[in-house]
Amino acid sequence: KNLLTRPVSLRLRAVKTTSHKATKITLKIIFSIFFIFNTSLLVFGEEWKSPDSDTSLGHFPTKLAADLSHLFTQDNFSILCVGTMATAFDWGGFDPQNQLASRLVQLNAQPLFDFGNFYGEGWVEGGGALGSWALGALTNDPKLQQFGRDVTESLILSTTLVTGMKISVNRTRPDGESLSFPSGHSITAFCIAPVVQKYWGWEAGIPAYLLATVTAFARVEGYHHYLSDTIAGATLGIILGNAVVYSP
């Protein structure tokens, strides 16, 4: 039958089903684009070595300042365009209903989302970064030192950017709290994924992106953020991580 000729209850059910399918399709498209952009170079690339081998604390500010110019690469511009469009589309189209949050709650995957929230904590990632840097120095492992240094740099840049944006935008969270946009947990989780990808290859890079995606969904499931907050966080995190490990 035509949708308009059905009983009201059936029409509402059909509309909800259609909306649910549209939400899932949109999510698949958004995160598929992120994976395509950031893993295609990986799969076909060679083992990567940092162009800056100086891992001393004294050199760290110099490298950080130099990496700021790497934000404006062609790859990062493409990611920024896709992420901005996805954020704007979700902000206007899906955030007002915020149906994704209730869908995620219905999955009954709380342990997974709890881990996602934990994984996106700054102190967790920061501790791992500094630990890698220190362990590399103690074991005389230059690669581990450089990895820890670059994750630390990525986290510092992400924290600085997200703090300024949260205060400037001051968007209200789904749970009524403030400082929703963009998601700090998401930018934290995603900013280290490009670094993992560069240093340890796609075998580690893809899991890093998957874990970051879990973090993004966990923030939505807990009504801490709208999906657009996490998309923006993911976009900015990837851009910053790419800048830190950029090589001509």
Side-chain angles (χ1 to χ4, degrees):
K1 293 182 180 181
N2 185 282
L3 180 61
L4 295 177
T5 64
R6 297 179 184 177
V8 174
S9 60
L10 292 180
R11 276 186 279 168
L12 289 175
R13 186 180 305 171
V15 170
K16 289 181 179 179
T17 300
T18 302
S19 176
H20 181 44
K21 290 180 178 179
T23 301
K24 291 197 295 184
I25 291 172
T26 302
L27 291 174
K28 289 178 180 178
I29 292 174
I30 290 171
F31 287 103
S32 293
I33 291 172
F34 282 140
F35 282 119
I36 290 171
F37 267 125
N38 292 278
T39 60
S40 58
L41 295 177
L42 242 177
V43 174
F44 302 104
E46 299 177 355
E47 182 178 356
W48 186 81
K49 294 182 179 180
S50 174
D52 191 333
S53 60
D54 190 341
T55 57
S56 65
L57 286 174
H59 179 68
F60 183 76
T62 302
K63 182 181 185 301
L64 189 151
D67 286 338
L68 293 177
S69 63
H70 303 154
L71 291 170
F72 310 103
T73 64
Q74 184 61 48
D75 287 341
N76 275 349
F77 178 73
S78 300
I79 294 169
L80 178 62
C81 289
V82 172
T84 300
M85 289 188 292
T87 299
F89 174 77
D90 187 80
W91 190 313
F94 288 95
D95 284 357
Q97 292 79 33
N98 198 25
Q99 294 182 352
L100 177 61
S102 60
R103 305 292 185 191
L104 292 172
V105 170
Q106 293 173 9
L107 293 177
N108 294 321
Q110 197 57 50
L112 178 64
F113 293 131
D114 287 343
F115 178 78
N117 283 311
F118 173 79
Y119 182 77
E121 290 282 354
W123 67 269
V124 173
E125 304 293 2
L130 293 174
S132 298
W133 197 349
L135 182 61
L138 290 173
T139 59
N140 195 28
D141 186 337
K143 183 176 182 179
L144 187 58
Q145 280 184 275
Q146 293 164 16
F147 171 73
R149 175 202 63 190
D150 286 350
V151 173
T152 299
E153 179 186 344
S154 186
L155 289 170
I156 290 174
L157 291 173
S158 297
T159 300
T160 303
L161 177 61
V162 78
T163 300
M165 291 186 67
K166 280 178 176 291
I167 295 173
S168 300
V169 178
N170 196 25
R171 185 186 195 188
T172 302
R173 298 174 186 262
D175 61 7
E177 299 293 327
S178 59
L179 305 179
S180 184
F181 184 88
S183 166
H185 281 69
S186 297
I187 195 173
T188 296
F190 274 96
C191 79
I192 70 168
V195 183
V196 172
Q197 168 185 311
K198 280 287 189 178
Y199 276 94
W200 310 110
W202 64 268
E203 295 93 340
I206 290 179
Y209 278 102
L210 288 173
L211 287 172
T213 302
V214 171
T215 295
F217 283 138
R219 303 308 290 167
V220 176
E221 187 269 347
Y223 289 88
H224 303 297
H225 289 286
Y226 295 103
L227 179 61
S228 60
D229 300 333
T230 64
I231 295 174
T235 302
L236 296 172
I238 292 170
I239 289 173
L240 291 172
N242 283 344
V244 169
V245 293
Y246 173 81
S247 58

